[in-house]
Amino acid sequence: MTYESLDLKKPIESDDYQECSEFVVSSIETIMKEAMDTGQNKIIINTNLKFGIPMENVNKIAGPFIEAWVFEVFTELLEDSQNKYNLINVEAGERLNMADVILQFKKIRKRSSAVTGYVDVKATSKDIEGSGKSPNITSFS
């Protein structure tokens, strides 16, 4: 079997895809920035290891903590009566799913009143040169 012989389904992009994509990305960026600016981005992990953990593997340890934190941020916003981002639903993605968090925002469109964003959470370290400089971004209708 070769790649060329595969029968792949080609997604059909909606007419308002670009507008919806920009809306979701902007909303997520603003929500995350606000959480960080207000100091809500502190995750405290205590260990009894005298020499700490190897930095080259810190993403493997940090990843699940970051995913849980992201889910908490969006869930707390959803439960907030002052939710100014029109967030209407938050779901945790299943393990090994393409999305760690699935978000729905209220947005009036031609055929619906919501737009869904699938978030793949990534853990990087500012101590590792080049970390987070080439994230994997997947986009589909």
Side-chain angles (χ1 to χ4, degrees), residues 71 75 78 89-93 99-104:
F71 183 71
T75 300
L78 181 65
N89 191 40
V90 178
E91 293 177 31
D100 298 309
V101 180
I102 302 164
L103 306 172
Q104 280 189 313

PDB file of all heavy atoms in Angstrom, residues 71 75 78 89-93 99-104:
ATOM      1  N   PHE A  71      -8.057  22.942  30.557  1.00  0.00           N
ATOM      2  CA  PHE A  71      -9.448  22.517  30.719  1.00  0.00           C
ATOM      3  C   PHE A  71     -10.102  23.261  31.883  1.00  0.00           C
ATOM      4  O   PHE A  71     -11.237  23.714  31.779  1.00  0.00           O
ATOM      5  CB  PHE A  71      -9.522  20.999  30.931  1.00  0.00           C
ATOM      6  CG  PHE A  71     -10.922  20.480  31.034  1.00  0.00           C
ATOM      7  CD1 PHE A  71     -11.744  20.445  29.912  1.00  0.00           C
ATOM      8  CD2 PHE A  71     -11.427  20.046  32.242  1.00  0.00           C
ATOM      9  CE1 PHE A  71     -13.044  19.982  30.002  1.00  0.00           C
ATOM     10  CE2 PHE A  71     -12.721  19.577  32.340  1.00  0.00           C
ATOM     11  CZ  PHE A  71     -13.536  19.548  31.231  1.00  0.00           C
ATOM     12  N   THR A  75     -13.349  25.720  31.734  1.00  0.00           N
ATOM     13  CA  THR A  75     -14.508  25.283  32.512  1.00  0.00           C
ATOM     14  C   THR A  75     -14.931  26.360  33.499  1.00  0.00           C
ATOM     15  O   THR A  75     -16.130  26.640  33.651  1.00  0.00           O
ATOM     16  CB  THR A  75     -14.207  23.958  33.244  1.00  0.00           C
ATOM     17  OG1 THR A  75     -13.881  22.967  32.269  1.00  0.00           O
ATOM     18  CG2 THR A  75     -15.402  23.481  34.042  1.00  0.00           C
ATOM     19  N   LEU A  78     -16.709  29.023  31.628  1.00  0.00           N
ATOM     20  CA  LEU A  78     -18.052  28.571  31.251  1.00  0.00           C
ATOM     21  C   LEU A  78     -19.022  28.728  32.418  1.00  0.00           C
ATOM     22  O   LEU A  78     -20.179  29.110  32.229  1.00  0.00           O
ATOM     23  CB  LEU A  78     -17.997  27.103  30.805  1.00  0.00           C
ATOM     24  CG  LEU A  78     -19.308  26.475  30.352  1.00  0.00           C
ATOM     25  CD1 LEU A  78     -19.816  27.153  29.084  1.00  0.00           C
ATOM     26  CD2 LEU A  78     -19.125  24.986  30.129  1.00  0.00           C
ATOM     27  N   ASN A  89     -19.801  25.790  25.646  1.00  0.00           N
ATOM     28  CA  ASN A  89     -19.559  24.391  25.961  1.00  0.00           C
ATOM     29  C   ASN A  89     -18.060  24.105  25.996  1.00  0.00           C
ATOM     30  O   ASN A  89     -17.301  24.659  25.202  1.00  0.00           O
ATOM     31  CB  ASN A  89     -20.228  23.470  24.930  1.00  0.00           C
ATOM     32  CG  ASN A  89     -20.219  22.019  25.363  1.00  0.00           C
ATOM     33  OD1 ASN A  89     -20.425  21.701  26.526  1.00  0.00           O
ATOM     34  ND2 ASN A  89     -19.968  21.124  24.428  1.00  0.00           N
ATOM     35  N   VAL A  90     -17.668  23.239  26.935  1.00  0.00           N
ATOM     36  CA  VAL A  90     -16.276  22.809  27.069  1.00  0.00           C
ATOM     37  C   VAL A  90     -16.289  21.303  27.300  1.00  0.00           C
ATOM     38  O   VAL A  90     -17.031  20.812  28.147  1.00  0.00           O
ATOM     39  CB  VAL A  90     -15.584  23.492  28.276  1.00  0.00           C
ATOM     40  CG1 VAL A  90     -14.161  22.994  28.439  1.00  0.00           C
ATOM     41  CG2 VAL A  90     -15.610  24.998  28.143  1.00  0.00           C
ATOM     42  N   GLU A  91     -15.476  20.592  26.533  1.00  0.00           N
ATOM     43  CA  GLU A  91     -15.347  19.150  26.711  1.00  0.00           C
ATOM     44  C   GLU A  91     -13.877  18.773  26.680  1.00  0.00           C
ATOM     45  O   GLU A  91     -13.105  19.356  25.921  1.00  0.00           O
ATOM     46  CB  GLU A  91     -16.051  18.385  25.583  1.00  0.00           C
ATOM     47  CG  GLU A  91     -17.543  18.514  25.567  1.00  0.00           C
ATOM     48  CD  GLU A  91     -18.162  17.782  24.388  1.00  0.00           C
ATOM     49  OE1 GLU A  91     -17.592  16.756  23.949  1.00  0.00           O
ATOM     50  OE2 GLU A  91     -19.200  18.252  23.901  1.00  0.00           O
ATOM     51  N   ALA A  92     -13.521  17.784  27.485  1.00  0.00           N
ATOM     52  CA  ALA A  92     -12.166  17.251  27.439  1.00  0.00           C
ATOM     53  C   ALA A  92     -12.120  16.199  26.342  1.00  0.00           C
ATOM     54  O   ALA A  92     -13.027  15.372  26.235  1.00  0.00           O
ATOM     55  CB  ALA A  92     -11.793  16.636  28.782  1.00  0.00           C
ATOM     56  N   GLY A  93     -11.096  16.266  25.514  1.00  0.00           N
ATOM     57  CA  GLY A  93     -10.925  15.250  24.481  1.00  0.00           C
ATOM     58  C   GLY A  93     -10.495  13.935  25.109  1.00  0.00           C
ATOM     59  O   GLY A  93      -9.889  13.917  26.179  1.00  0.00           O
ATOM     60  N   ALA A  99      -7.750  16.228  19.673  1.00  0.00           N
ATOM     61  CA  ALA A  99      -7.985  17.439  20.454  1.00  0.00           C
ATOM     62  C   ALA A  99      -7.983  17.096  21.937  1.00  0.00           C
ATOM     63  O   ALA A  99      -8.564  16.100  22.355  1.00  0.00           O
ATOM     64  CB  ALA A  99      -9.317  18.074  20.068  1.00  0.00           C
ATOM     65  N   ASP A 100      -7.332  17.945  22.719  1.00  0.00           N
ATOM     66  CA  ASP A 100      -7.326  17.774  24.169  1.00  0.00           C
ATOM     67  C   ASP A 100      -8.528  18.467  24.795  1.00  0.00           C
ATOM     68  O   ASP A 100      -9.018  18.036  25.834  1.00  0.00           O
ATOM     69  CB  ASP A 100      -6.031  18.334  24.763  1.00  0.00           C
ATOM     70  CG  ASP A 100      -4.813  17.590  24.248  1.00  0.00           C
ATOM     71  OD1 ASP A 100      -4.832  16.342  24.318  1.00  0.00           O
ATOM     72  OD2 ASP A 100      -3.879  18.240  23.754  1.00  0.00           O
ATOM     73  N   VAL A 101      -8.956  19.567  24.170  1.00  0.00           N
ATOM     74  CA  VAL A 101     -10.106  20.329  24.651  1.00  0.00           C
ATOM     75  C   VAL A 101     -10.945  20.735  23.446  1.00  0.00           C
ATOM     76  O   VAL A 101     -10.402  21.163  22.416  1.00  0.00           O
ATOM     77  CB  VAL A 101      -9.665  21.597  25.429  1.00  0.00           C
ATOM     78  CG1 VAL A 101     -10.855  22.384  25.935  1.00  0.00           C
ATOM     79  CG2 VAL A 101      -8.740  21.247  26.576  1.00  0.00           C
ATOM     80  N   ILE A 102     -12.252  20.591  23.572  1.00  0.00           N
ATOM     81  CA  ILE A 102     -13.176  20.995  22.511  1.00  0.00           C
ATOM     82  C   ILE A 102     -14.036  22.124  23.070  1.00  0.00           C
ATOM     83  O   ILE A 102     -14.657  21.984  24.126  1.00  0.00           O
ATOM     84  CB  ILE A 102     -14.048  19.799  22.068  1.00  0.00           C
ATOM     85  CG1 ILE A 102     -13.147  18.651  21.599  1.00  0.00           C
ATOM     86  CG2 ILE A 102     -15.014  20.225  20.957  1.00  0.00           C
ATOM     87  CD1 ILE A 102     -13.845  17.319  21.517  1.00  0.00           C
ATOM     88  N   LEU A 103     -14.035  23.238  22.358  1.00  0.00           N
ATOM     89  CA  LEU A 103     -14.745  24.437  22.815  1.00  0.00           C
ATOM     90  C   LEU A 103     -15.831  24.817  21.820  1.00  0.00           C
ATOM     91  O   LEU A 103     -15.633  24.690  20.612  1.00  0.00           O
ATOM     92  CB  LEU A 103     -13.769  25.607  22.933  1.00  0.00           C
ATOM     93  CG  LEU A 103     -12.518  25.388  23.781  1.00  0.00           C
ATOM     94  CD1 LEU A 103     -11.579  26.564  23.625  1.00  0.00           C
ATOM     95  CD2 LEU A 103     -12.901  25.183  25.227  1.00  0.00           C
ATOM     96  N   GLN A 104     -16.939  25.323  22.337  1.00  0.00           N
ATOM     97  CA  GLN A 104     -17.971  25.890  21.468  1.00  0.00           C
ATOM     98  C   GLN A 104     -18.266  27.302  21.937  1.00  0.00           C
ATOM     99  O   GLN A 104     -18.449  27.549  23.132  1.00  0.00           O
ATOM    100  CB  GLN A 104     -19.253  25.067  21.514  1.00  0.00           C
ATOM    101  CG  GLN A 104     -19.190  23.829  20.656  1.00  0.00           C
ATOM    102  CD  GLN A 104     -20.541  23.159  20.561  1.00  0.00           C
ATOM    103  OE1 GLN A 104     -21.219  22.972  21.555  1.00  0.00           O
ATOM    104  NE2 GLN A 104     -20.927  22.824  19.351  1.00  0.00           N
TER     105      GLN A 104
END
